[in-house]
Amino acid sequence: MDHRLDDSNFEDFFNKVEVPYNKSAKEVWEQLSKQLDDNKVTKRSQIFMRPWMYVAAMLLVLFGVLSVMKFYTVKIQSQKGEHLVYNLPDGSKVSLNVQSGFTYHPYWWRFSRKINFEGEAFFDVQQGSVFQVQSAIGKTIVMGTTFNIFSRNGTYRVNCVTGKVKVVSPGNEEAMLLPSFSAEILPDGKINVSKFSNKLKATDWIDNIFSFTSVPLIHVFGEVERQYNIEIETTVSPDLIYTGHFQGKREVDEVLNLLCKPFGLKFEKISERKYRIN
């Protein structure tokens, strides 16, 4: 059977075909618009912060930043047999003797030049706002000067080399020092001021020279322990008083012999870093 379509029956065939979608473009668009209206999309409501909430958030951030700046602490510590030189943010310099240390707040330094210190150190302070050194049994306040602080074994002594230095006792007694003057806080809280003749003597430890005037011998042995990183066992009386000096460049055996001989004492080396003195 011949199924070909000729010109005569082509039109009849086409008229019999049903077009499944015979709407115009305009009608299609109107229908789509109606469907969109019938199926509305629910939008999430946006959260708007009121002005006071912005201010509160900013204040909270500011408080956090200021807290970090004020309370963040740096600790500098020298060990036995070690001298350190440390530069503070304003250019002031701290030279630490052995087993000495301090803490300070670097991010708050421009607002408050204050350190907490124990041990012995020489301070070279740049001119500026008040510079305060707080120790367990004393406080030193300066503006810009050089001075030495010794704070060990219940002793607090300050030597002023240049400028002016104010020393304050726990009982708030004060003493103002000029160059070549020294102040020591006594056990009763009083401040004893005296003059030292040799400026270098106040800081001779920087050059490894250690001078003592009427100091208990047991404390001198303690300084030897710190400088040479050794341990000394001794039962010597705390009533033995020593006046003299020694150079840190000497061997420890030489130094111990120098200290023991005037008192009739003998020392014995027990191990590499341990001595016994009787």
Side-chain angles (χ1 to χ4, degrees):
M1 182 180 293
D2 187 3
H3 295 286
R4 290 178 298 176
L5 296 177
D6 55 15
D7 293 338
S8 60
N9 59 12
F10 180 81
E11 184 176 353
D12 292 336
F13 174 80
F14 185 80
N15 289 331
K16 292 179 181 179
V17 176
E18 292 184 4
V19 180
Y21 198 88
N22 56 3
K23 293 183 179 180
S24 66
K26 182 179 179 181
E27 291 174 325
V28 171
W29 177 252
E30 288 177 351
Q31 184 174 350
L32 289 174
S33 298
K34 185 176 182 301
Q35 290 177 350
L36 289 173
D37 291 336
D38 293 339
N39 299 280
K40 293 181 179 179
V41 179
T42 303
K43 297 182 179 180
R44 295 182 179 178
S45 57
Q46 296 181 351
I47 300 176
F48 294 96
M49 293 182 66
R50 297 181 179 179
W52 69 266
M53 296 178 70
Y54 279 110
V55 174
M58 292 176 64
L59 289 176
L60 185 61
V61 172
L62 180 61
F63 177 78
V65 172
L66 291 177
S67 296
V68 171
M69 291 177 62
K70 187 171 184 179
F71 297 108
Y72 176 75
T73 303
V74 169
K75 181 178 181 179
I76 307 300
Q77 179 72 44
S78 63
Q79 305 302 319
K80 278 187 175 183
E82 178 185 37
H83 290 184
L84 286 180
V85 177
Y86 186 83
N87 292 317
L88 292 166
D90 63 342
S92 297
K93 184 169 66 175
V94 183
S95 299
L96 291 173
N97 201 345
V98 294
Q99 273 196 315
S100 302
F102 66 92
T103 60
Y104 77 105
H105 306 296
Y107 298 135
W108 201 250
W109 189 254
R110 64 183 303 175
F111 306 108
S112 176
R113 299 198 300 173
K114 179 180 179 181
I115 71 173
N116 292 292
F117 168 79
E118 294 297 334
E120 183 172 18
F122 180 76
F123 295 82
D124 187 350
V125 178
Q126 295 295 311
Q127 290 287 344
S129 59
V130 172
F131 186 102
Q132 180 175 313
V133 182
Q134 180 70 56
S135 298
I137 55 175
K139 180 169 59 178
T140 299
I141 301 173
V142 303
M143 300 294 283
T145 181
T146 57
F147 58 97
N148 193 85
I149 295 181
F150 180 92
S151 179
R152 296 190 197 274
N153 304 317
T155 299
Y156 188 85
R157 183 173 59 252
V158 180
N159 296 325
C160 178
V161 179
T162 63
K164 293 182 180 180
V165 175
K166 181 167 71 173
V167 179
V168 183
S169 72
N172 290 324
E173 183 171 333
E174 298 181 358
M176 185 66 73
L177 302 181
L178 296 175
S180 299
F181 279 86
S182 175
E184 183 173 346
I185 298 179
L186 303 177
D188 61 0
K190 301 293 184 181
I191 300 178
N192 180 45
V193 177
S194 60
K195 187 172 184 178
F196 56 90
S197 57
N198 187 352
K199 289 184 179 181
L200 294 179
K201 189 175 181 180
T203 58
D204 53 9
W205 64 266
I206 296 177
D207 297 318
N208 278 323
I209 300 174
F210 303 94
S211 301
F212 305 89
T213 302
S214 300
V215 176
L217 182 61
I218 193 169
H219 289 173
V220 179
F221 287 151
E223 188 64 30
V224 173
E225 286 183 307
R226 287 187 288 270
Q227 296 297 332
Y228 288 92
N229 190 18
I230 63 172
E231 181 182 348
I232 297 177
E233 290 183 356
T234 182
T235 57
V236 300
S237 170
D239 296 329
L240 295 179
I241 304 299
Y242 175 80
T243 296
H245 70 275
F246 65 86
Q247 292 185 341
K249 295 179 181 180
R250 291 188 174 188
E251 295 294 329
V252 63
D253 287 31
E254 293 183 62
V255 172
L256 291 178
N257 183 62
L258 178 67
L259 296 175
C260 292
K261 192 173 182 179
F263 298 94
L265 301 173
K266 294 183 179 181
F267 69 91
E268 174 188 2
K269 187 173 183 178
I270 301 174
S271 63
E272 182 64 25
R273 294 193 174 278
K274 191 171 184 179
Y275 289 79
R276 180 183 293 120
I277 298 177
N278 295 305

